[in-house]
Amino acid sequence: MKLSSHEEGGVMILEPKGKIMGGPDATVLHDQLHDFIGQGKKKVVIDLSKVEWMNSTGLGILISGLTTLRHNGGDLKLARVTEKIESLLTITKLITVFENYDNVEDAIKSFS
Amino acid sequence: MAGENKNSVSITVPSGPEQVSVVDEFLENHLRERKISDDIIADLAIAVTELVNNAIKHGNKNRVEKKVIVCIVFQNNKVEISITDEGDGFDPETIPDPVAEENLLKEIGRGVFIVNSLMDSVEYSFPSGGGTRVAVTKKIV
């Protein structure tokens, strides 16, 4: 998995690319989310359009980011979720936990 | 270490977290050779990486000298994949329900549930010499 990020209107946008399956790769996303929190950046959107698939390790990282951000007065929202990942979110009922937007712009606007 | 004959291939890896992606690459390469659809490949890759993660972390307790064996057997219209570790075994019935309201925000505990959801069959066995063997099947046509 590769990871890039940028800021738009005070919201951090994370763009993972590839597969999130566990192992050393997965810690990169976890660490980046927790670095944002440490820097006081508490509004985060993860653009999942370039993630081929993820397993429960990836879902656990999303949950960890979500709960930590919410406990610190922020939030984590998802954008451009692929069909495969949406199916996993549905199976695990996490679709009821995450706010999920069709595009990054709408996800950013939802913070205002 | 990899082995193969016409309809089956296998790989044996030590119990290190970096081995999950090694197994995934091995699996996906063999599935693509058989012209299996991307959707089915993704389901199999998700399930197998879940089970290899479990075998390394919970079965072999990340002890690098302990091995995980992944065997892929192609049959007429399905593939069977087994994952065998050298751990102490476990009772899959004791895993808490990850979609219960009180467990929804837990970071772990979804792997076996996801495997059961994506595969056509999942069977656990516990060889007399120790370890856990999980065999999953999925239709590929």
Short mmCIF file of all heavy atoms in Angstrom, two decimals, chain A residues 2-54:
data_model
loop_
_atom_site.label_atom_id
_atom_site.label_comp_id
_atom_site.label_asym_id
_atom_site.label_seq_id
_atom_site.Cartn_x
_atom_site.Cartn_y
_atom_site.Cartn_z
N LYS A 2 0.50 2.22 -0.81
CA LYS A 2 1.16 3.53 -0.79
C LYS A 2 0.19 4.54 -0.22
O LYS A 2 -1.03 4.38 -0.33
CB LYS A 2 1.59 3.92 -2.21
CG LYS A 2 2.67 3.02 -2.76
CD LYS A 2 3.04 3.42 -4.18
CE LYS A 2 4.14 2.49 -4.69
NZ LYS A 2 4.43 2.70 -6.11
N LEU A 3 0.74 5.60 0.37
CA LEU A 3 -0.13 6.56 1.03
C LEU A 3 0.32 7.98 0.72
O LEU A 3 1.50 8.31 0.85
CB LEU A 3 -0.07 6.33 2.55
CG LEU A 3 -1.01 7.18 3.40
CD1 LEU A 3 -2.47 6.87 3.08
CD2 LEU A 3 -0.74 6.91 4.88
N SER A 4 -0.61 8.80 0.29
CA SER A 4 -0.31 10.23 0.13
C SER A 4 -1.38 11.02 0.86
O SER A 4 -2.45 10.51 1.17
CB SER A 4 -0.26 10.61 -1.36
OG SER A 4 -1.51 10.34 -1.95
N SER A 5 -1.04 12.29 1.18
CA SER A 5 -2.01 13.12 1.89
C SER A 5 -1.83 14.58 1.51
O SER A 5 -0.75 14.99 1.07
CB SER A 5 -1.85 12.95 3.41
OG SER A 5 -0.60 13.44 3.82
N HIS A 6 -2.90 15.34 1.66
CA HIS A 6 -2.83 16.78 1.48
C HIS A 6 -3.95 17.41 2.28
O HIS A 6 -4.84 16.71 2.80
CB HIS A 6 -2.91 17.17 0.00
CG HIS A 6 -4.21 16.82 -0.65
ND1 HIS A 6 -4.49 15.55 -1.13
CD2 HIS A 6 -5.32 17.56 -0.90
CE1 HIS A 6 -5.71 15.54 -1.65
NE2 HIS A 6 -6.24 16.74 -1.52
N GLU A 7 -3.90 18.75 2.40
CA GLU A 7 -4.90 19.45 3.20
C GLU A 7 -5.77 20.30 2.28
O GLU A 7 -5.28 20.91 1.33
CB GLU A 7 -4.19 20.34 4.24
CG GLU A 7 -5.16 20.99 5.21
CD GLU A 7 -4.44 21.65 6.38
OE1 GLU A 7 -3.20 21.44 6.52
OE2 GLU A 7 -5.10 22.38 7.13
N GLU A 8 -7.05 20.30 2.53
CA GLU A 8 -7.99 21.12 1.76
C GLU A 8 -8.98 21.74 2.71
O GLU A 8 -9.74 21.02 3.38
CB GLU A 8 -8.76 20.24 0.75
CG GLU A 8 -8.24 20.33 -0.67
CD GLU A 8 -9.06 19.48 -1.61
OE1 GLU A 8 -10.18 19.92 -2.00
OE2 GLU A 8 -8.61 18.38 -1.95
N GLY A 9 -8.97 23.07 2.82
CA GLY A 9 -9.94 23.77 3.66
C GLY A 9 -9.91 23.32 5.10
O GLY A 9 -10.97 23.20 5.73
N GLY A 10 -8.73 23.03 5.62
CA GLY A 10 -8.63 22.61 7.02
C GLY A 10 -8.95 21.15 7.26
O GLY A 10 -9.00 20.70 8.41
N VAL A 11 -9.17 20.40 6.18
CA VAL A 11 -9.47 18.97 6.31
C VAL A 11 -8.31 18.18 5.69
O VAL A 11 -7.85 18.50 4.59
CB VAL A 11 -10.79 18.62 5.58
CG1 VAL A 11 -11.07 17.12 5.68
CG2 VAL A 11 -11.96 19.42 6.16
N MET A 12 -7.85 17.19 6.42
CA MET A 12 -6.77 16.34 5.90
C MET A 12 -7.38 15.25 5.00
O MET A 12 -8.32 14.55 5.40
CB MET A 12 -5.99 15.67 7.05
CG MET A 12 -5.34 16.65 8.01
SD MET A 12 -4.31 17.91 7.19
CE MET A 12 -3.08 16.88 6.37
N ILE A 13 -6.82 15.14 3.81
CA ILE A 13 -7.29 14.12 2.87
C ILE A 13 -6.21 13.05 2.75
O ILE A 13 -5.07 13.34 2.40
CB ILE A 13 -7.54 14.71 1.45
CG1 ILE A 13 -8.26 16.06 1.52
CG2 ILE A 13 -8.26 13.69 0.57
CD1 ILE A 13 -9.62 16.01 2.11
N LEU A 14 -6.59 11.83 3.04
CA LEU A 14 -5.65 10.70 2.92
C LEU A 14 -6.03 9.87 1.71
O LEU A 14 -7.22 9.56 1.51
CB LEU A 14 -5.75 9.82 4.17
CG LEU A 14 -4.81 10.14 5.33
CD1 LEU A 14 -5.16 9.23 6.51
CD2 LEU A 14 -3.37 9.95 4.94
N GLU A 15 -5.01 9.50 0.94
CA GLU A 15 -5.27 8.71 -0.27
C GLU A 15 -4.41 7.44 -0.29
O GLU A 15 -3.33 7.44 -0.88
CB GLU A 15 -4.98 9.56 -1.51
CG GLU A 15 -5.90 10.75 -1.63
CD GLU A 15 -5.48 11.72 -2.72
OE1 GLU A 15 -4.26 11.91 -2.93
OE2 GLU A 15 -6.37 12.27 -3.37
N PRO A 16 -4.87 6.40 0.38
CA PRO A 16 -4.14 5.13 0.28
C PRO A 16 -4.34 4.50 -1.10
O PRO A 16 -5.36 4.74 -1.75
CB PRO A 16 -4.77 4.27 1.38
CG PRO A 16 -6.11 4.87 1.64
CD PRO A 16 -6.05 6.31 1.24
N LYS A 17 -3.36 3.73 -1.52
CA LYS A 17 -3.44 3.10 -2.85
C LYS A 17 -2.93 1.66 -2.75
O LYS A 17 -1.89 1.43 -2.14
CB LYS A 17 -2.58 3.88 -3.84
CG LYS A 17 -2.64 3.38 -5.26
CD LYS A 17 -1.80 4.26 -6.17
CE LYS A 17 -1.88 3.76 -7.60
NZ LYS A 17 -1.01 4.56 -8.50
N GLY A 18 -3.67 0.72 -3.29
CA GLY A 18 -3.23 -0.68 -3.29
C GLY A 18 -4.13 -1.53 -2.44
O GLY A 18 -5.35 -1.44 -2.52
N LYS A 19 -3.53 -2.37 -1.61
CA LYS A 19 -4.29 -3.29 -0.75
C LYS A 19 -3.91 -3.04 0.70
O LYS A 19 -2.74 -2.76 0.98
CB LYS A 19 -3.95 -4.74 -1.10
CG LYS A 19 -4.08 -5.09 -2.55
CD LYS A 19 -3.30 -6.35 -2.87
CE LYS A 19 -3.25 -6.61 -4.37
NZ LYS A 19 -2.29 -7.68 -4.70
N ILE A 20 -4.87 -3.17 1.59
CA ILE A 20 -4.57 -3.02 3.02
C ILE A 20 -4.85 -4.36 3.67
O ILE A 20 -6.02 -4.72 3.87
CB ILE A 20 -5.41 -1.90 3.66
CG1 ILE A 20 -5.28 -0.61 2.83
CG2 ILE A 20 -4.96 -1.66 5.10
CD1 ILE A 20 -6.17 0.52 3.32
N MET A 21 -3.79 -5.11 3.95
CA MET A 21 -3.97 -6.51 4.34
C MET A 21 -3.29 -6.90 5.63
O MET A 21 -3.30 -8.06 6.02
CB MET A 21 -3.46 -7.41 3.22
CG MET A 21 -1.95 -7.35 3.04
SD MET A 21 -1.37 -8.47 1.75
CE MET A 21 -1.51 -7.43 0.31
N GLY A 22 -2.64 -5.98 6.32
CA GLY A 22 -1.87 -6.36 7.50
C GLY A 22 -0.40 -6.35 7.16
O GLY A 22 -0.02 -6.11 6.03
N GLY A 23 0.43 -6.59 8.16
CA GLY A 23 1.86 -6.53 7.93
C GLY A 23 2.34 -5.09 8.01
O GLY A 23 1.58 -4.19 8.35
N PRO A 24 3.61 -4.85 7.70
CA PRO A 24 4.21 -3.53 7.89
C PRO A 24 3.49 -2.41 7.14
O PRO A 24 3.40 -1.28 7.63
CB PRO A 24 5.63 -3.71 7.34
CG PRO A 24 5.88 -5.17 7.39
CD PRO A 24 4.56 -5.84 7.19
N ASP A 25 2.96 -2.72 5.96
CA ASP A 25 2.27 -1.70 5.17
C ASP A 25 1.14 -1.04 5.94
O ASP A 25 0.93 0.16 5.87
CB ASP A 25 1.66 -2.35 3.92
CG ASP A 25 2.56 -2.18 2.72
OD1 ASP A 25 3.72 -1.77 2.93
OD2 ASP A 25 2.11 -2.47 1.60
N ALA A 26 0.39 -1.87 6.65
CA ALA A 26 -0.82 -1.37 7.30
C ALA A 26 -0.50 -0.36 8.40
O ALA A 26 -1.31 0.54 8.67
CB ALA A 26 -1.62 -2.54 7.88
N THR A 27 0.67 -0.49 9.00
CA THR A 27 1.00 0.43 10.10
C THR A 27 1.20 1.85 9.58
O THR A 27 1.06 2.81 10.33
CB THR A 27 2.27 -0.02 10.84
OG1 THR A 27 3.35 -0.01 9.93
CG2 THR A 27 2.10 -1.41 11.42
N VAL A 28 1.52 1.99 8.30
CA VAL A 28 1.73 3.33 7.72
C VAL A 28 0.45 4.16 7.83
O VAL A 28 0.48 5.32 8.25
CB VAL A 28 2.17 3.21 6.24
CG1 VAL A 28 2.26 4.58 5.60
CG2 VAL A 28 3.50 2.49 6.13
N LEU A 29 -0.68 3.56 7.47
CA LEU A 29 -1.95 4.27 7.54
C LEU A 29 -2.33 4.56 8.99
O LEU A 29 -2.74 5.68 9.34
CB LEU A 29 -3.05 3.44 6.85
CG LEU A 29 -4.46 4.02 6.88
CD1 LEU A 29 -4.50 5.42 6.25
CD2 LEU A 29 -5.43 3.09 6.15
N HIS A 30 -2.16 3.56 9.85
CA HIS A 30 -2.46 3.73 11.27
C HIS A 30 -1.61 4.87 11.85
O HIS A 30 -2.13 5.78 12.53
CB HIS A 30 -2.17 2.42 12.01
CG HIS A 30 -2.39 2.49 13.49
ND1 HIS A 30 -1.41 2.91 14.37
CD2 HIS A 30 -3.47 2.22 14.25
CE1 HIS A 30 -1.89 2.89 15.60
NE2 HIS A 30 -3.13 2.47 15.56
N ASP A 31 -0.32 4.85 11.57
CA ASP A 31 0.59 5.87 12.13
C ASP A 31 0.24 7.26 11.61
O ASP A 31 0.29 8.25 12.35
CB ASP A 31 2.04 5.54 11.80
CG ASP A 31 2.51 4.28 12.54
OD1 ASP A 31 1.78 3.83 13.44
OD2 ASP A 31 3.59 3.77 12.19
N GLN A 32 -0.10 7.35 10.32
CA GLN A 32 -0.44 8.66 9.74
C GLN A 32 -1.69 9.24 10.41
O GLN A 32 -1.73 10.43 10.75
CB GLN A 32 -0.67 8.53 8.23
CG GLN A 32 -1.03 9.83 7.54
CD GLN A 32 0.11 10.84 7.56
OE1 GLN A 32 1.03 10.77 6.77
NE2 GLN A 32 0.07 11.79 8.49
N LEU A 33 -2.69 8.41 10.61
CA LEU A 33 -3.91 8.88 11.27
C LEU A 33 -3.60 9.39 12.68
O LEU A 33 -4.07 10.45 13.10
CB LEU A 33 -4.94 7.74 11.35
CG LEU A 33 -5.75 7.50 10.07
CD1 LEU A 33 -6.49 6.18 10.16
CD2 LEU A 33 -6.73 8.64 9.82
N HIS A 34 -2.77 8.65 13.39
CA HIS A 34 -2.47 9.05 14.77
C HIS A 34 -1.51 10.24 14.80
O HIS A 34 -1.56 11.05 15.74
CB HIS A 34 -1.99 7.83 15.56
CG HIS A 34 -3.11 6.89 15.88
ND1 HIS A 34 -3.76 6.86 17.09
CD2 HIS A 34 -3.77 6.00 15.09
CE1 HIS A 34 -4.74 5.97 17.05
NE2 HIS A 34 -4.76 5.43 15.84
N ASP A 35 -0.69 10.41 13.78
CA ASP A 35 0.15 11.62 13.67
C ASP A 35 -0.74 12.85 13.51
O ASP A 35 -0.48 13.90 14.11
CB ASP A 35 1.09 11.52 12.46
CG ASP A 35 2.31 10.66 12.78
OD1 ASP A 35 2.47 10.28 13.95
OD2 ASP A 35 3.06 10.35 11.83
N PHE A 36 -1.77 12.74 12.67
CA PHE A 36 -2.70 13.87 12.48
C PHE A 36 -3.29 14.28 13.83
O PHE A 36 -3.36 15.47 14.15
CB PHE A 36 -3.85 13.49 11.54
CG PHE A 36 -3.48 13.42 10.09
CD1 PHE A 36 -4.25 12.68 9.20
CD2 PHE A 36 -2.37 14.09 9.60
CE1 PHE A 36 -3.92 12.61 7.85
CE2 PHE A 36 -2.03 14.01 8.25
CZ PHE A 36 -2.80 13.27 7.39
N ILE A 37 -3.71 13.30 14.59
CA ILE A 37 -4.33 13.60 15.89
C ILE A 37 -3.32 14.30 16.79
O ILE A 37 -3.64 15.30 17.45
CB ILE A 37 -4.85 12.29 16.54
CG1 ILE A 37 -5.98 11.70 15.68
CG2 ILE A 37 -5.34 12.54 17.96
CD1 ILE A 37 -6.27 10.24 15.93
N GLY A 38 -2.09 13.80 16.79
CA GLY A 38 -1.03 14.42 17.59
C GLY A 38 -0.76 15.86 17.19
O GLY A 38 -0.37 16.69 18.01
N GLN A 39 -0.99 16.16 15.91
CA GLN A 39 -0.76 17.53 15.39
C GLN A 39 -2.00 18.40 15.50
O GLN A 39 -2.01 19.54 15.03
CB GLN A 39 -0.33 17.46 13.92
CG GLN A 39 1.00 16.76 13.69
CD GLN A 39 1.19 16.35 12.23
OE1 GLN A 39 0.49 16.83 11.34
NE2 GLN A 39 2.13 15.45 11.99
N GLY A 40 -3.05 17.86 16.11
CA GLY A 40 -4.28 18.63 16.28
C GLY A 40 -5.13 18.71 15.02
O GLY A 40 -6.07 19.50 14.93
N LYS A 41 -4.80 17.89 14.03
CA LYS A 41 -5.59 17.86 12.79
C LYS A 41 -6.66 16.78 12.96
O LYS A 41 -6.38 15.59 12.86
CB LYS A 41 -4.68 17.56 11.61
CG LYS A 41 -3.66 18.66 11.39
CD LYS A 41 -2.59 18.26 10.39
CE LYS A 41 -1.64 19.43 10.16
NZ LYS A 41 -0.47 19.05 9.32
N LYS A 42 -7.87 17.23 13.23
CA LYS A 42 -8.90 16.29 13.68
C LYS A 42 -10.03 16.06 12.67
O LYS A 42 -10.99 15.37 12.97
CB LYS A 42 -9.50 16.80 15.00
CG LYS A 42 -8.47 16.88 16.12
CD LYS A 42 -9.06 17.55 17.35
CE LYS A 42 -7.99 17.78 18.40
NZ LYS A 42 -8.50 18.60 19.51
N LYS A 43 -9.92 16.70 11.51
CA LYS A 43 -10.92 16.47 10.46
C LYS A 43 -10.22 15.72 9.33
O LYS A 43 -9.33 16.27 8.67
CB LYS A 43 -11.48 17.80 9.95
CG LYS A 43 -12.18 18.62 11.03
CD LYS A 43 -12.57 19.97 10.48
CE LYS A 43 -13.24 20.83 11.55
NZ LYS A 43 -13.51 22.20 11.07
N VAL A 44 -10.65 14.49 9.12
CA VAL A 44 -9.93 13.64 8.17
C VAL A 44 -10.93 12.97 7.21
O VAL A 44 -11.98 12.47 7.64
CB VAL A 44 -9.11 12.55 8.90
CG1 VAL A 44 -8.41 11.64 7.90
CG2 VAL A 44 -8.10 13.18 9.85
N VAL A 45 -10.56 13.00 5.93
CA VAL A 45 -11.31 12.25 4.91
C VAL A 45 -10.36 11.21 4.31
O VAL A 45 -9.22 11.55 3.97
CB VAL A 45 -11.83 13.18 3.80
CG1 VAL A 45 -12.42 12.35 2.64
CG2 VAL A 45 -12.87 14.14 4.35
N ILE A 46 -10.79 9.98 4.22
CA ILE A 46 -10.00 8.95 3.53
C ILE A 46 -10.67 8.66 2.19
O ILE A 46 -11.81 8.21 2.14
CB ILE A 46 -9.86 7.66 4.35
CG1 ILE A 46 -9.21 7.98 5.71
CG2 ILE A 46 -9.00 6.65 3.60
CD1 ILE A 46 -8.91 6.75 6.55
N ASP A 47 -9.94 8.97 1.13
CA ASP A 47 -10.40 8.68 -0.23
C ASP A 47 -9.98 7.24 -0.56
O ASP A 47 -8.79 6.95 -0.73
CB ASP A 47 -9.73 9.69 -1.19
CG ASP A 47 -10.11 9.43 -2.64
OD1 ASP A 47 -10.72 8.38 -2.94
OD2 ASP A 47 -9.77 10.29 -3.49
N LEU A 48 -10.95 6.35 -0.64
CA LEU A 48 -10.66 4.92 -0.81
C LEU A 48 -10.75 4.46 -2.27
O LEU A 48 -10.74 3.26 -2.54
CB LEU A 48 -11.62 4.09 0.06
CG LEU A 48 -11.34 4.17 1.57
CD1 LEU A 48 -12.47 3.50 2.35
CD2 LEU A 48 -10.01 3.53 1.93
N SER A 49 -10.81 5.41 -3.20
CA SER A 49 -11.04 5.03 -4.60
C SER A 49 -9.91 4.20 -5.19
O SER A 49 -10.13 3.48 -6.17
CB SER A 49 -11.27 6.27 -5.45
OG SER A 49 -10.12 7.10 -5.42
N LYS A 50 -8.71 4.30 -4.61
CA LYS A 50 -7.58 3.57 -5.19
C LYS A 50 -7.16 2.37 -4.34
O LYS A 50 -6.08 1.83 -4.52
CB LYS A 50 -6.41 4.52 -5.41
CG LYS A 50 -6.71 5.53 -6.51
CD LYS A 50 -5.60 6.51 -6.72
CE LYS A 50 -5.99 7.49 -7.82
NZ LYS A 50 -5.15 8.70 -7.79
N VAL A 51 -8.02 1.99 -3.42
CA VAL A 51 -7.74 0.80 -2.62
C VAL A 51 -8.44 -0.39 -3.27
O VAL A 51 -9.67 -0.41 -3.37
CB VAL A 51 -8.21 0.97 -1.15
CG1 VAL A 51 -8.01 -0.32 -0.37
CG2 VAL A 51 -7.43 2.11 -0.50
N GLU A 52 -7.66 -1.36 -3.74
CA GLU A 52 -8.23 -2.52 -4.44
C GLU A 52 -9.14 -3.31 -3.51
O GLU A 52 -10.24 -3.71 -3.87
CB GLU A 52 -7.12 -3.45 -4.92
CG GLU A 52 -6.30 -2.89 -6.07
CD GLU A 52 -5.14 -3.80 -6.40
OE1 GLU A 52 -5.33 -5.02 -6.54
OE2 GLU A 52 -4.01 -3.28 -6.50
N TRP A 53 -8.62 -3.60 -2.31
CA TRP A 53 -9.42 -4.28 -1.29
C TRP A 53 -8.72 -4.13 0.04
O TRP A 53 -7.55 -3.75 0.10
CB TRP A 53 -9.66 -5.76 -1.61
CG TRP A 53 -8.47 -6.61 -1.96
CD1 TRP A 53 -8.05 -6.95 -3.22
CD2 TRP A 53 -7.53 -7.23 -1.06
NE1 TRP A 53 -6.93 -7.73 -3.16
CE2 TRP A 53 -6.58 -7.93 -1.85
CE3 TRP A 53 -7.40 -7.29 0.32
CZ2 TRP A 53 -5.52 -8.66 -1.30
CZ3 TRP A 53 -6.34 -8.01 0.87
CH2 TRP A 53 -5.42 -8.69 0.05
N MET A 54 -9.43 -4.39 1.10
CA MET A 54 -8.81 -4.46 2.42
C MET A 54 -9.43 -5.62 3.18
O MET A 54 -10.54 -6.06 2.85
CB MET A 54 -8.99 -3.14 3.19
CG MET A 54 -10.42 -2.81 3.57
SD MET A 54 -10.53 -1.38 4.68
CE MET A 54 -9.99 -0.04 3.64
#
